[in-house]
Every structure is written in C-alpha cells, then in structure tokens.
Amino acid sequence: MSLSALARGYLFIGIMLPGFAQAQSDDQALLEVFGQSSRQLSSQQPLNNQPARVTNPPAANNKAVAGELAALKKQIATQQQVIKQQQAMIASLKRSTPSAKRKVADPQSDIQRDSYSLGQSIAANAQGQLKLIDDAGITLDRDQLGQGILSGLQMTSALSSHETATRFQALEKRVSQMLPEKITAAYQQLDKQTVGQQPISNTHGIRWFTRYSVNNRLQPEQKVAVQVIVKTRDDKIINDFSDDNVTFNAQLPALMYEAMSLTGKGGGVEGWALAKDIADREPLPAWIAPYELIHYILSIK
C-alpha cells in the first residue's frame, strides 16, 4: 500500500522542478548578455592587422563596464549555486522517498521474512488504533498520518515532543469517552443476536448455544477431531483451526476447553461474546475493537 504522503513527496519535487527550469533559463539569459558584452568588446579590436586608431574612453566608462561584468559574473555564480542546491535536494528526495510504482519482491531470506512479519504486526496495531479513531468520529488527514509515520521511522518530527504528546493524549481521551457508549450498544446488539435462543452456558461473558446435540459429553483425555472457527459478526475470519488429534484436557486453550466440555463426539456448539470479555482468555488480533461481537464455532467429529 502506497501512502498518499509519498505522492506528496513527488508533488514537492514537481514544485521544485519549475524553479530548477527557471534557474536554467535565467542562467542562459545571463550568459547571452555576457556574450553580447564580450562581442561588443571584441568588435572594438583592430581587424586584419591594420593599425587601429586608439581612443582613450573616459575612465568612468571603463569602470562602468568592469562593474557590469563583475555583476554579471556574480549573478551567474549565484544561479549556478542555486541550481546545484536544487539538484542536490531533488536527488535527496528521490533517494529518501520510495516510489509508489516500485514493486518490492516477496520476502525470501530469514531476515526479509522477519522484517515483513514485523511490518505486518505494526500495520495490524495501527489498524486497531485507526478503527477506534474512526468509530469515535475523529477526522484525520491521511496524508499527514502517513508523513508522521515516515518521519517517525526517520527519527525526525515537524512538531515538538511536547505538542506531539499533548495531541496524542487528547485523541486518546476522546476515544476513551466514546468506549462506554459503544460497549453498551454492543451488548444491545448481542441481545438481539441471541434473542429467542436458550443458552446452555453463560459464563465469563460468553453465551454458549447448542448447534448439534449429542447424548454424551467428552471424557477426560479423550482424543477427537476438532474444528474451530472464530470470526466477527460480519464474518471476518479471525481463526480457522482443524486438528484430527486433540486430547480433551485442561491443557487446551481456555475457550476450546470450555466449548468441548459442553458437547461430545459428533456434537457442536457456538458462542457469542464481546471481544473485551474474551480477550484475556482468547488471543485476538490488534485490529479487533473491544466492542466487536465475536462468534466462536466448535464442531467435534
């Protein structure tokens, strides 16, 4: 995913280029003026080795011409320096700004794969924070968001550390003020989702219901094939697990053990809960908001 901020980097280069072109144009104009002055001086020299009638122009005129030439030389030197500075700036921007069109090869080595995994983890955490920000109704400038990430990775900042901390704390406060309302609405949504169903268990904030009934429940240390699907209410898959050799004991993940204890071979159960109520017992991705409805489905073959 390319950030809009990267495109802005190229926009900045685009802004600089007209100045660069103008500098070249001005430089050429100065050279032409300088050339005309030189040609005018050369035209005053004797031709065909014929004796020239020497005239002595007033000293004031000599000083004026010398002054004009010195000024022209100074202007040319200044323009050349500006051109060099702009060329250096453009080159630096091109080096520091990754091209949106450049396709990075898939990770191959261990270092590349480790780096890629870390990037995915950072992105997942960022998605979670952005979801909370969006749900709180806070408007963000995505260009500046991307620029903040890039400058942060480069250990630089356009803002003071005090302003950065103050503004971030203010955003966190607005999000925290939004959470109680969102959680209350999520519980109401959970009630609607399970209305008319009779739970077989309602512990630790998760409501369990029978999907496929059986006469006998599992016995301790019994081995069975288990399939588990964990997803959000809008069917975003969090986990899809299938194993043909699961031993029913307390060593299993907490939610899997709880679900398996409610049924037997050939049976199945499903559970509904808010993410905040199962996060301590079931690892959830960082992009899951605490008020997200989680659907846990377990089947035993």
Side-chain angles (χ1 to χ4, degrees):
M1 177 185 75
S2 65
L3 294 173
S4 299
L6 302 183
R8 293 178 71 248
Y10 285 106
L11 177 60
F12 179 70
I13 295 174
I15 293 172
M16 294 299 298
L17 286 175
F20 177 37
Q22 183 63 45
Q24 289 181 315
S25 177
D26 294 342
D27 187 34
Q28 184 64 31
L30 288 170
L31 288 174
E32 290 178 359
V33 172
F34 185 81
Q36 290 175 0
S37 299
S38 299
R39 287 193 295 272
Q40 290 173 358
L41 291 174
S42 299
S43 66
Q44 298 174 7
Q45 301 302 317
L47 300 176
N48 300 324
N49 297 320
Q50 296 180 359
R53 190 173 69 178
V54 179
T55 59
N56 295 321
N61 290 343
N62 288 337
K63 291 181 179 180
V65 171
E68 290 178 1
L69 289 176
L72 285 172
K73 290 179 180 180
K74 184 176 181 181
Q75 289 177 355
I76 291 171
T78 300
Q79 290 293 342
Q80 289 175 339
Q81 184 64 27
V82 170
I83 291 171
K84 289 181 180 179
Q85 291 175 351
Q86 291 181 338
Q87 287 174 331
M89 185 179 296
I90 292 170
S92 176
L93 285 170
K94 288 181 177 179
R95 287 193 302 269
S96 62
T97 306
S99 173
K101 297 180 180 179
R102 183 168 63 90
K103 169 65 176 176
V104 178
D106 291 339
Q108 300 297 328
S109 67
D110 285 340
I111 291 177
Q112 290 175 339
R113 299 178 82 86
D114 287 345
S115 302
Y116 186 86
S117 299
L118 177 60
Q120 288 282 299
S121 177
I122 292 173
N125 281 285
Q127 287 178 0
Q129 288 185 318
L130 288 176
K131 178 174 176 55
L132 293 176
I133 292 287
D134 289 340
D135 289 350
I138 300 173
T139 301
L140 293 177
D141 185 317
R142 300 289 172 164
D143 289 343
Q144 288 301 321
L145 173 67
Q147 188 65 24
I149 293 173
L150 289 177
S151 61
L153 292 174
Q154 295 170 353
M155 307 287 288
T156 62
S157 177
L159 305 179
S160 68
S161 58
H162 174 73
E163 182 177 359
T164 299
T166 300
R167 289 184 177 278
F168 182 73
Q169 290 169 2
L171 288 174
E172 283 190 320
K173 183 177 181 180
R174 291 177 64 181
V175 170
S176 64
Q177 292 172 340
M178 169 272 299
L179 284 176
E181 180 181 347
K182 285 287 185 181
I183 289 173
T184 298
Y187 277 124
Q188 294 173 350
Q189 188 179 51
L190 177 58
D191 290 338
K192 293 179 180 179
Q193 185 69 43
T194 59
V195 65
Q197 302 181 61
Q198 182 61 41
I200 56 176
S201 176
N202 187 356
T203 58
H204 303 291
I206 186 167
R207 304 177 190 183
W208 293 105
F209 304 90
T210 298
R211 283 171 58 87
Y212 310 111
S213 60
V214 291
N215 294 325
N216 299 312
R217 295 188 176 184
L218 294 178
Q219 298 299 312
E221 303 302 324
Q222 184 176 348
K223 293 183 178 181
V224 291
V226 174
Q227 181 181 26
V228 175
I229 299 176
V230 184
K231 58 184 180 179
T232 63
R233 183 174 177 270
D234 54 358
D235 292 330
K236 293 180 181 177
I237 298 296
I238 299 172
N239 192 12
D240 191 345
F241 169 82
S242 181
D243 197 310
D244 292 334
N245 190 23
V246 173
T247 301
F248 176 57
N249 57 37
Q251 301 303 314
L252 293 171
L255 258 64
M256 181 183 290
Y257 180 75
E258 183 176 334
M260 290 178 68
S261 67
L262 298 173
T263 188
K265 191 170 183 179
V269 295
E270 64 179 334
W272 286 93
L274 266 63
K276 78 175 191 65
D277 291 332
I278 65 174
D280 292 338
R281 306 171 66 220
E282 179 78 13
L284 294 173
W287 52 267
I288 297 293
Y291 41 81
E292 193 89 54
L293 255 60
I294 305 300
H295 191 192
Y296 192 102
I297 305 170
L298 178 139
S299 302
I300 301 177
K301 300 179 180 178

